Amino acid sequence: MLEADRNGPQKGNTNRIFPYEQTHHLIPIPLDKLVVRGGNFLEGSLTVSGSKNTALPLMAGAVVANGVSVIENVPALRDIDTFSRVIDVTGARVSIDRESHRLVVDASSVENAEAPYELVKRMRASFYMLGALLARMGHARVSLPGGCAWGPRPVDLHIEGVKAFGADVELDRGYVVAKARGGRLSGGNFKLTPSSVGATVNLMLAASTAAGGSRIENAAREPDVVVFGEALRKMGARIEGLGTPTIEIEGVEGLESATVTNCADRIELGTFMIAAAIAGRPGEPVTILGAQPDHLGQAFVDAFVETGTGLTSDEDGTVHVVAPEELKPVSIATGIYPGFPTDLQAQWTVLLSQGRGNAKVVDTIYSDRFKHIAELRRMGMNAIVLGNEVVVEGGVPLTGAQVMSTDLRASVSLVLAGLVASGETHVLRVYHLDRGYENLEGKLSDAGIDIERVRYDEFADPVAEATT
Ligand code: EPZ
């Protein structure tokens, strides 16, 4: 073993090899992980936070309105932080009270029609600034979003759509540069192929202050889009057809600021329902508060009930889930709303692993959103990915392991697996999870789960760590 020269390599002395960690202070990379000790029952109640995927469009809409808008029930998430910084760049100002979940956007002065790469690369929904800035300023320079954990996610529909509404668009070194011909979009018609949530949101933003009428065909019907459209109406937009495949918008001069309320997060609700189905005490109801079960879509509800899990809801939306003695395997295929949400397919594979028999998950929206399967296999799950589907064998006990988060919904499926695995599961890099789940460990531990957040250094020497 070379005795490293404590003074480090001398000038000109290039034939000595200096072990890096002996001559440099390793810069720690403190990351958080969730440590789950499996085997406890999930019991009592959980509370759903505001919807991430509705809060983001609502924030973009607030940038179009000249004034101070308030959005109630906004979750405290990393994606909300990221988008707040994206909005900051324009000159608008954002503040959020994480206790009251009230977010304020002061868009009285918006003078920089830009969304920079450094922020857009962190969160694809930042691309909503294309439509928002075109509507507010008549031009926009927005970075193209990068790929994401599960492959390319194009924005061609967003770009072709704003062109159809009267924008000239060019690509300039990774940025989309869009200018409304004559300074204001004319409006127009555009058909989305395939249907797209993000493109529907972006085109609604762009069309809201166009000089004429616009029609979006094959529009997304997700509750996120409907709640967003209702908020735009409250700001003075003239929109018909929300929740149907054809949305008609009559442009207005400008939007007025308003106070709007975000809906509950339907994906967090679905995630908690699956947690209760696999980790609830059989026969004992788990209560989920603050929910809007009518936003789940019929396909998910039907599949969930088919597993034999009890599901009831009260007038106020409170959901009660009763785990069965044994879960029936139910194969699903994702689809656009009201189909089975692709954002719940990773969680569903964990439910399938707890039933008897084989079943499969087909994702028709994204062809390669199965990064979590390799991690779940490390916990003993017998699952095989074949193209855009995964076959899961039920009844194979899971064991705790160190597993790596790769994206938001994949990481929460690892936590769900940890609930029912024997021993400890360390879910690493939970910054992915923090993008879309507010205080997950707090909510689960209040419902009987043994889970804690631990700071760790990803590159610490495991041997040294083990012996300290
Ligand atoms: C939204 O993403 C959600 N994100 C996603 O949730 C969700 O998975 C997705 O909708 C599908 O439901 C937000 O709402 C912020 P799409 P989005 O455009 O809008 C294709 C989460 O975990 N497409 O509806 O990006 C695309 O490739 C996130 O919270 C084009 O071809 O999804 C995909 O196959 C992950 N061209 C399909 O449409 C385009 O220009 C649906 O994508 C745009 C999309």
Side-chain angles (χ1 to χ4, degrees):
M1 177 72 169
L2 280 169
E3 181 52 38
D5 175 340
R6 288 293 160 210
N7 304 317
Q10 303 307 315
K11 266 208 183 336
N13 169 357
T14 54
N15 62 351
R16 306 271 317 261
I17 299 172
F18 294 91
Y20 183 87
E21 65 271 21
Q22 290 178 15
T23 55
H24 292 74
H25 169 66
L26 288 184
I27 300 168
I29 303 184
L31 295 171
D32 284 354
K33 61 182 174 181
L34 292 184
V35 179
V36 191
R37 294 173 191 87
N40 290 16
F41 283 117
L42 185 76
E43 52 197 6
S45 65
L46 295 140
T47 301
V48 171
S49 296
S51 163
K52 166 177 84 81
N53 291 348
T54 312
L56 296 169
L58 292 174
M59 291 170 73
V63 173
V64 182
N66 180 350
V68 180
S69 294
V70 176
I71 307 171
E72 305 283 4
N73 197 27
V74 173
L77 301 172
R78 274 166 41 85
D79 274 6
I80 301 299
D81 283 353
T82 301
F83 203 37
S84 298
R85 294 172 61 193
V86 170
I87 293 174
D88 250 0
V89 168
T90 69
R93 289 290 169 260
V94 183
S95 69
I96 181 166
D97 175 336
R98 290 200 178 93
E99 292 305 311
S100 66
H101 293 100
R102 163 176 294 187
L103 184 135
V104 177
V105 178
D106 180 354
S108 313
S109 66
V110 171
E111 67 268 340
N112 181 19
E114 170 136 351
Y117 172 70
E118 296 72 23
L119 291 171
V120 175
K121 74 180 178 185
R122 293 188 196 174
M123 185 190 65
R124 173 187 165 76
S126 309
F127 204 63
Y128 292 157
M129 293 309 282
L130 175 67
L133 291 169
L134 275 171
R136 176 68 188 262
M137 300 184 74
H139 61 98
R141 185 172 184 274
V142 178
S143 168
L144 276 169
C148 77
W150 65 85
R153 289 176 65 189
V155 288
D156 54 310
L157 297 172
H158 302 237
I159 293 170
E160 294 311 312
V162 297
K163 282 181 181 173
F165 290 4
D168 288 330
V169 178
E170 59 178 29
L171 298 190
D172 171 29
R173 287 165 295 157
Y175 279 75
V176 170
V177 180
K179 289 187 181 67
R181 284 190 288 277
R184 185 181 177 194
L185 291 177
S186 54
N189 298 337
F190 190 72
K191 178 170 185 181
L192 296 173
T193 312
S195 181
S196 152
V197 172
T200 302
V201 167
N202 235 336
L203 297 184
M204 287 168 68
L205 286 162
S208 63
T209 64
S214 301
R215 183 184 315 124
I216 305 168
E217 292 179 33
N218 200 23
R221 298 160 55 194
E222 271 74 356
D224 319 344
V225 174
V226 174
V227 172
F228 167 57
E230 285 160 356
L232 285 184
R233 276 195 183 137
K234 198 172 176 185
M235 292 176 168
R238 291 163 56 191
I239 303 177
E240 295 303 328
L242 290 172
T244 77
T246 303
I247 294 179
E248 313 259 9
I249 299 172
E250 192 55 45
V252 294
E253 279 302 313
L255 297 186
E256 299 306 315
S257 53
T259 294
V260 297
T261 300
N262 182 25
C263 59
D265 195 306
R266 61 193 169 94
I267 305 302
E268 187 182 26
L269 170 58
T271 305
F272 287 167
M273 288 166 63
I274 292 169
I278 64 175
R281 190 189 300 273
E284 289 283 311
V286 172
T287 301
I288 305 172
L289 305 166
Q292 288 177 262
D294 55 322
H295 284 184
L296 286 168
Q298 201 54 47
F300 176 78
V301 171
D302 290 348
F304 190 77
V305 170
E306 198 182 332
T307 66
T309 306
L311 175 62
T312 57
S313 59
D314 303 339
E315 277 301 300
D316 67 355
T318 299
V319 171
H320 305 278
V321 176
V322 180
E325 287 296 336
E326 186 171 273
L327 284 162
K328 297 189 187 72
V330 177
S331 294
I332 62 103
T334 67
I336 60 172
Y337 192 86
F340 192 107
T342 172
D343 291 351
L344 284 170
Q345 59 97 332
Q347 300 90 315
W348 195 260
T349 52
V350 179
L351 183 146
L352 293 183
S353 75
Q354 300 304 299
R356 283 262 173 270
N358 294 355
K360 70 178 177 180
V361 168
V362 181
D363 198 331
T364 68
I365 305 287
Y366 296 110
S367 57
D368 55 0
R369 193 179 184 177
F370 295 112
K371 293 279 186 313
H372 49 289
I373 296 298
E375 298 302 314
L376 290 166
R377 287 173 60 84
R378 298 187 63 247
M379 297 176 70
M381 185 186 288
N382 188 0
I384 299 170
V385 177
L386 305 162
N388 71 331
E389 61 181 64
V390 57
V391 180
V392 181
E393 180 187 357
V396 176
L398 302 183
T399 53
Q402 295 214 52
V403 285
M404 188 71 79
S405 303
T406 48
D407 69 80
L408 168 54
R409 307 303 174 183
S411 49
V412 83
S413 73
L414 303 177
V415 175
L416 293 180
L419 302 185
V420 294
S422 59
E424 266 187 14
T425 299
H426 293 223
V427 181
L428 308 182
R429 297 186 185 176
V430 288
Y431 57 82
H432 289 288
L433 196 85
D434 294 337
R435 290 189 54 182
Y437 288 90
E438 180 181 358
N439 185 25
L440 180 68
E441 70 275 17
K443 294 182 180 181
L444 290 175
S445 56
D446 287 350
I449 298 300
D450 183 347
I451 182 171
E452 62 176 327
R453 179 179 288 256
V454 175
R455 178 59 50 100
Y456 75 106
D457 180 349
E458 177 110 327
F459 293 92
D461 175 348
V463 173
E465 198 178 47
T467 52
T468 48

